[in-house]
Amino acid sequence: MQTLTISSPSFTDGALIPVIHTGYGADQSPELVLHGLCEEAVSLAVILNDMDHPIPAYNHWVIWNLPVMSIIPGNIPRGAQVPSLSGARQGIGYGRHAYRGPKPPFHWSHTYQFTVYVLDTVLTLPPTARKKHLLAAMEQHILQQAVLRGHYR
């Protein structure tokens, strides 16, 4: 199976995440470009974590049942369901059904990790699902996964 990689036209791996994608700006999710997506893919999921928060891997975003696509569009709208993306679902991350970008206190530098999962199924989860529920539901269904990291200060 091919190796999955992620890139973004907004920032390179390990680079500064532009303010438009942060809680200090428009809080818009960045476009994510997938390379090496396997043919067996049925759906995609994305998790965004703050890796430097005092609560380990503090969750900012969970979205699943994205249709298989090589470009996950940016600026995904808020809401538990995302009709424009074939009914993709957003669970609760950072207290909302929405992308919540970087917003470290006092503008301290934090690392943020986008993880994309390629799944062999469509998941059945309630809108109240959080990261731990998504991870448990994906457990035996992950075909590929890749990480894109950025930081914000």
Side-chain angles (χ1 to χ4, degrees):
M1 190 169 296
Q2 297 182 55
T3 300
L4 181 70
T5 60
I6 310 168
S7 64
S8 176
S10 297
F11 63 97
T12 58
D13 191 46
L16 183 69
I17 297 171
V19 71
I20 192 169
H21 302 300
T22 75
Y24 295 110
D27 224 4
Q28 294 180 358
S29 61
E31 179 178 293
L32 301 174
V33 181
L34 309 181
H35 309 275
L37 192 59
C38 71
E39 292 179 13
E40 298 83 11
V42 174
S43 70
L44 305 173
V46 181
I47 294 175
L48 170 60
N49 288 324
D50 178 343
M51 305 308 288
D52 295 318
H53 193 280
I55 298 171
Y58 186 77
N59 185 245
H60 279 248
W61 189 35
V62 289
I63 185 168
W64 63 90
N65 291 349
L66 287 158
V68 176
M69 58 186 126
S70 59
I71 299 175
I72 299 172
N75 198 20
I76 292 176
R78 297 174 183 267
Q81 293 190 18
V82 186
S84 62
L85 290 173
S86 299
R89 306 284 193 266
Q90 294 183 104
I92 298 174
Y94 206 115
R96 308 263 182 188
H97 293 285
Y99 170 87
R100 298 295 300 268
K103 193 173 181 182
F106 312 112
H107 293 278
W108 292 335
S109 183
H110 281 210
T111 299
Y112 294 85
Q113 179 172 293
F114 292 85
T115 305
V116 174
Y117 300 88
V118 178
L119 307 175
D120 66 2
T121 191
V122 171
L123 302 173
T124 304
L125 288 168
T128 55
R130 296 179 179 273
K131 178 177 74 170
K132 67 180 179 179
H133 304 113
L134 176 57
L135 289 169
M138 292 190 302
E139 198 167 286
Q140 299 297 316
H141 299 286
I142 299 171
L143 298 171
Q144 296 173 293
Q145 71 184 66
V147 168
L148 175 66
R149 290 180 186 90
H151 68 91
Y152 191 76
R153 59 175 184 271

